[in-house]
Amino acid sequence: MSAEPDGPEDRLRRFATIWSRAVFPVTSTSLTRPEFEELLLPLARRLRVALLARAFDAEEGRAVGAALVRAHCTDPEALSRALDCVEAYLVLYCGEDGPQEELRLRSSRLQHAMAAGFAQALRERTLAEQEAIARAALQAQGVVAQALHASEARFRAVFEGAAIGIGIADLDGNVLQVNGALQRMFGGGEGAFRARNVKDWTHAEDAPQVWKLYDELVRGEREHYHVEKAFYRPDGTVLWTNLTVSLLRDADGRPQYQLALMEDTTERRLLNLRLRYEATHDALTGLPNRTLFFERLEKVLAAGEGQRFGLCYLDLDGFKTINDSLGHAAGDRLLVEVADRLQSCATAPGEMVARLGGDEFVALTTGPNARHEVDELAARIMNALLAPVRIEGRELTVRGSIGIVEGAAGERSAAEVLRSADITMYRAKSAGGNRFELADPEADARAITRHGLTTALPAALERGEFFIEYQPLVHLGDGSVRGAEALVRWLHPQHGILGPDRFIPLAEDTGLIVPLGRWVLEQSVRQARDWRERYGDGGPLRINVNLSPCQLTHPGLVQDTVDILERAGVAPQALCLEVTESALIGADDDLLKPLRRLAEMGVDIALDDFGTGYSNLANLRRLPVSVLKLDRSFTQSMQQFPADPVDLKIVEGIVSLAHSLDLAVTVEGVETGAQAEQLRILGCDTAQGWYYARPGPPERLHQLALVDATG
């Protein structure tokens, strides 16, 4: 019998075990390895929660990094091993069955957050230690001063036994004494110190105020100061210190000596620099990451008047296909090659390349000629991508889409610039890819509005912001109203009334078209029932409702329609579902099956916008349709007299064929009486358009029906 599969907690425990075994050997702790594993287990649980959360929260990663510092995992190797474990095993043991590519991206972001949290916690710990040292230095100052005045022996004990470096000089800067700790820090004997003056210990990275503070102290204008300062050792290497210099006065209060206390911070500084690098650079490609890029971009945008910038936002075309077919290892090698090529394109002063994540890169150029230079930079990038990349014996073609934004500093924020570049890049991708496009403020505004409408759609349906207008279907023979088409509208709080062309495509992209379409069907069928109950046979006999391609593939279409008709008490014959011709081109039997079931129940199926697709007339026989709705492009020429004879022949042929197949013909876009009369002569059955009425509320439609009925 096979063993039961590990549960989530067992897999989490396994991840914590691997983590503890990797990190424990380089951790300064009195705990045993199992005890250390128990310490890491809640941190592993936090990483799993952050990995699987619906919304990514980098704070969890930073908190885990900070917790490692509190657990005394402060050795640089400990952080490196921890990040390696998270990269290799977090998704494997804690990712469950989630989308692997997204989980790996989250894991990478968690690693950066851990490194940032580790660096921040270590910095805070360092600052706390520095504060303690500063307090100790002030205490040492008092002790040393008392020792000088009271007992040379006591002073010598403090001086030689101190763990920090101590040096004494006169007010002219001549070194008088140094202790053993200071000699070990510099790697020289006491004689080397006495041969030099304090003012000789300058360094290229000295802050401007360092020597100003020194001058104030030796003049007796300040008692002490504390700075971070670098020194050159005799062998040329650099020693970084936390330096506290205090003024020693004689018994009468006159300045007499200066006392320097130094803590060696070289290793800590190197660790902080390494952590800073890891927190601001992409682990895979070595390029600056999103964090460092935003820092640089914000500095550029905050520059003075006259500064200009240019930004190229690159996304590789078809990268997901490479990942899916060759695996993520091949995808990573491709990204490294692309990063190398991009770096070779941006070598001029003021240029920078960064990886934002996934297959998205940015290149930045600055200077007064940025408008011209950014175009050249984009062209260089496109040329650099032309050569194939050879991976695992295959030659891969690399293509990319680039969005370009150029402008003056101070006009937009970094987030706005990047958003504009992102929008422009997707415009280049939608135009076929392998090209670059320049940002267009009007296109940006349309995209932002589109995004705003997309995000507002779900709440709009819940708040009842949609309503339906009805346009009558008129019989061309006697002019009577035979039905109405339901047309949904959105009463947007900011944009006013929006037609379906503004939001139906968005609803289809987000999947909201299914609940929205169900709501339209419910309201329309209920309206048909109300017309019948209030006005009897004087009301419209049939209601036409549009059906989107997404609704066609929804498994609940037939059952939803049946339930709605039954709840409203409306016969199937009172409903006509309109499906566009393009949605049924090449449709297989599985797609047509729900339409056939509805047609068998008595629901009419209309082929909408007929003539805009391939107009495959022979295909009509296999479709379960009972009505053809001719697109207005066929009949537009009939608005004027005489009509185009070719159009007349085409419409006459379509009507004849439709009637021979027992299909009714409805014409859209009728705007003149001459047009309506010509269509009647050609044999069309019903029509709709502004000649009869524009879409409006249901009450107006019934008034039209009454006028037709009373003649």
Side-chain angles (χ1 to χ4, degrees):
M1 186 185 327
S2 61
E4 290 292 323
D6 291 340
E9 282 300 311
D10 293 328
R11 296 174 68 82
L12 180 69
R13 169 68 72 173
R14 192 172 303 168
F15 171 67
T17 300
I18 296 173
W19 189 2
S20 67
R21 287 174 177 168
V23 176
F24 182 79
V26 292
T27 300
S28 301
T29 177
S30 60
L31 300 177
T32 64
R33 211 280 306 164
E35 290 172 338
F36 186 67
E37 178 180 328
E38 292 298 319
L39 183 67
L40 292 183
L41 186 60
L43 303 185
R45 183 171 286 107
R46 293 188 74 164
L47 290 177
R48 181 179 67 179
V49 171
L51 181 70
L52 301 177
R54 176 172 298 179
F56 179 75
D57 185 3
E59 188 57 36
E60 287 297 308
R62 288 192 287 269
V64 171
L68 290 177
V69 174
R70 293 194 297 273
H72 305 291
C73 301
T74 54
D75 189 284
E77 184 65 21
L79 175 63
S80 178
R81 293 188 181 190
L83 295 178
D84 288 344
C85 283
V86 171
E87 181 180 15
Y89 299 106
L90 180 61
V91 174
L92 178 64
Y93 286 106
C94 302
E96 298 181 7
D97 296 325
Q100 295 300 298
E101 184 174 355
E102 181 178 343
L103 290 175
R104 287 191 182 92
L105 178 59
R106 281 201 171 188
S107 174
S108 176
R109 294 174 67 186
L110 281 173
Q111 293 168 50
H112 287 298
M114 284 175 62
F118 187 95
Q120 178 66 22
L122 192 59
R123 180 175 181 275
E124 292 172 357
R125 176 173 170 170
T126 300
L127 292 176
E129 291 175 353
Q130 291 173 352
E131 181 65 25
I133 290 171
R135 289 197 299 268
L138 291 176
Q139 293 172 1
Q141 173 191 352
V143 172
V144 172
Q146 290 177 7
L148 284 172
H149 295 150
S151 170
E152 178 66 22
R154 290 174 58 192
F155 161 71
R156 182 58 56 187
V158 173
F159 187 76
E160 294 297 341
I164 60 176
I166 302 176
I168 300 174
D170 61 24
L171 299 183
D172 292 328
N174 300 309
V175 178
L176 304 176
Q177 287 180 304
V178 294
N179 70 348
L182 191 61
Q183 294 176 43
R184 289 189 295 273
M185 287 166 57
F186 276 83
E190 186 173 2
F193 285 92
R194 295 199 177 195
R196 301 185 65 178
N197 190 281
V198 169
K199 290 189 176 180
D200 295 335
W201 296 91
T202 59
H203 190 275
E205 295 193 38
D206 284 343
Q209 71 269 24
V210 167
W211 295 104
K212 179 177 179 293
L213 294 172
Y214 174 82
D215 290 338
E216 291 175 356
L217 182 131
V218 297
R219 289 198 304 265
E221 297 172 2
R222 70 169 47 246
E223 295 301 313
H224 58 82
Y225 65 88
H226 179 83
V227 294
E228 184 180 28
K229 180 168 174 17
F231 295 89
Y232 290 110
R233 293 189 179 100
D235 62 0
T237 59
V238 177
L239 168 72
W240 280 92
T241 68
N242 280 326
L243 172 65
T244 300
V245 182
S246 301
L247 182 66
L248 300 180
R249 299 177 182 270
D250 62 17
D252 296 326
R254 290 188 296 270
Q256 188 173 18
Y257 303 104
Q258 51 178 310
L259 173 70
L261 300 120
M262 299 184 194
E263 179 204 8
D264 185 353
T265 61
T266 306
E267 290 188 5
R268 188 183 306 152
R269 180 180 177 84
L270 292 175
L271 174 61
N272 286 335
L273 289 174
R274 177 182 173 184
L275 293 175
R276 165 67 179 170
Y277 180 88
E278 291 179 351
T280 57
H281 286 75
D282 177 51
L284 176 65
T285 64
L287 292 178
N289 63 11
R290 178 183 289 268
T291 300
L292 185 56
F293 172 74
F294 261 95
E295 290 179 5
R296 172 71 183 280
L297 182 59
E298 286 171 349
K299 286 182 181 178
V300 169
L301 296 178
E305 185 177 351
Q307 177 71 287
R308 298 192 71 84
F309 73 93
L311 186 147
C312 297
Y313 193 117
L314 167 70
D315 184 272
L316 300 183
D317 298 334
F319 178 72
K320 185 177 185 300
T321 303
I322 295 175
N323 260 349
D324 293 344
S325 58
L326 301 182
H328 288 277
D332 287 348
R333 291 177 60 186
L334 176 63
L335 292 174
V336 171
E337 175 65 24
V338 169
D340 291 342
R341 296 186 185 186
L342 293 181
Q343 279 190 303
S344 69
C345 294
T347 56
E351 293 183 341
M352 172 191 186
V353 174
R355 182 188 179 203
L356 298 185
D359 60 334
E360 295 180 337
F361 299 85
V362 286
L364 178 67
T365 183
T366 59
N369 297 321
R371 177 174 298 176
H372 174 68
E373 291 170 355
V374 72
D375 290 341
E376 291 186 344
L377 179 58
R380 291 200 300 272
I381 292 173
M382 297 300 291
N383 288 333
L385 297 178
L386 287 177
V389 178
R390 191 166 186 82
I391 296 177
E392 297 179 357
R394 299 170 182 259
E395 281 196 351
L396 302 180
T397 301
V398 184
R399 295 291 183 266
S401 300
I402 298 177
I404 298 177
V405 176
E406 189 277 335
E411 294 180 349
R412 287 176 285 183
S413 68
E416 290 171 337
V417 169
L418 204 63
R419 179 176 61 185
S420 178
D422 190 18
I423 292 170
T424 308
M425 179 272 293
Y426 275 107
R427 185 152 51 85
K429 193 174 287 288
S430 64
N434 194 31
R435 58 189 292 144
F436 59 81
E437 294 280 350
L438 298 176
D440 178 4
E442 293 183 1
D444 286 0
R446 288 194 298 270
I448 293 170
T449 300
R450 177 185 173 91
H451 175 73
L453 293 178
T454 301
T455 55
L457 268 171
L461 185 58
E462 294 176 3
R463 289 195 295 261
E465 294 177 2
F466 293 99
F467 67 97
I468 299 175
E469 292 186 328
Y470 299 89
Q471 187 173 38
L473 289 162
V474 177
H475 191 273
L476 287 169
D478 57 15
S480 62
V481 177
R482 295 296 181 89
E485 181 178 0
L487 301 169
V488 64
R489 307 284 189 259
W490 182 2
L491 181 57
H492 193 279
Q494 283 80 41
H495 300 289
I497 296 177
L498 303 178
D501 58 310
R502 293 287 302 277
F503 61 86
I504 290 298
L506 306 181
E508 290 176 340
D509 291 343
T510 59
L512 192 72
I513 190 65
V514 173
L516 177 60
R518 186 185 300 116
W519 178 84
V520 171
L521 184 61
E522 288 176 345
Q523 298 299 312
S524 303
V525 169
R526 189 177 300 132
Q527 184 59 59
R529 179 199 61 195
D530 292 346
W531 277 327
R532 184 66 61 88
E533 290 178 351
R534 294 180 61 184
Y535 308 114
D537 292 337
L541 301 180
R542 187 177 64 184
I543 190 76
N544 286 28
V545 178
N546 290 285
L547 209 59
S548 80
C550 293
Q551 289 174 276
L552 276 177
T553 59
H554 189 264
L557 172 63
V558 175
Q559 190 59 51
D560 285 347
T561 305
V562 171
D563 292 343
I564 290 171
L565 289 171
E566 289 181 350
R567 282 198 301 270
V570 173
Q573 290 76 12
L575 174 64
C576 177
L577 296 177
E578 298 189 7
V579 184
T580 60
E581 179 189 15
S582 58
L584 296 183
I585 291 176
D588 56 21
D589 288 339
D590 288 338
L591 184 64
L592 296 177
K593 187 180 297 182
L595 292 180
R596 288 197 178 102
R597 289 181 56 190
L598 291 169
E600 290 168 358
M601 292 165 40
V603 175
D604 281 328
I605 307 297
L607 195 60
D608 196 11
D609 297 333
F610 184 77
T612 58
Y614 293 105
S615 303
N616 188 348
L617 301 178
N619 195 40
L620 290 174
R621 299 186 61 181
R622 58 183 290 268
L623 300 179
V625 298
S626 54
V627 180
L628 283 187
K629 291 195 73 174
L630 270 182
D631 186 70
R632 66 184 64 214
S633 60
F634 282 103
T635 62
Q636 202 163 10
S637 67
M638 299 180 191
Q639 294 177 10
Q640 299 178 349
F641 184 84
D644 187 326
V646 175
D647 286 345
L648 291 176
K649 287 292 185 182
I650 291 174
V651 173
E652 183 179 18
I654 293 175
V655 171
S656 175
L657 176 62
H659 286 168
S660 69
L661 296 174
D662 201 23
L663 302 178
V665 177
T666 298
V667 184
E668 298 178 297
V670 178
E671 297 184 9
T672 66
Q675 190 180 10
E677 177 60 20
Q678 187 65 67
L679 291 170
R680 184 191 67 78
I681 295 172
L682 291 173
C684 296
D685 300 291
T686 55
Q688 63 186 97
W690 288 6
Y691 172 66
Y692 304 106
R694 298 193 178 198
E699 295 79 12
R700 191 174 72 182
L701 188 74
H702 179 67
Q703 293 170 2
L704 292 172
L706 287 179
V707 169
D708 291 333
T710 57

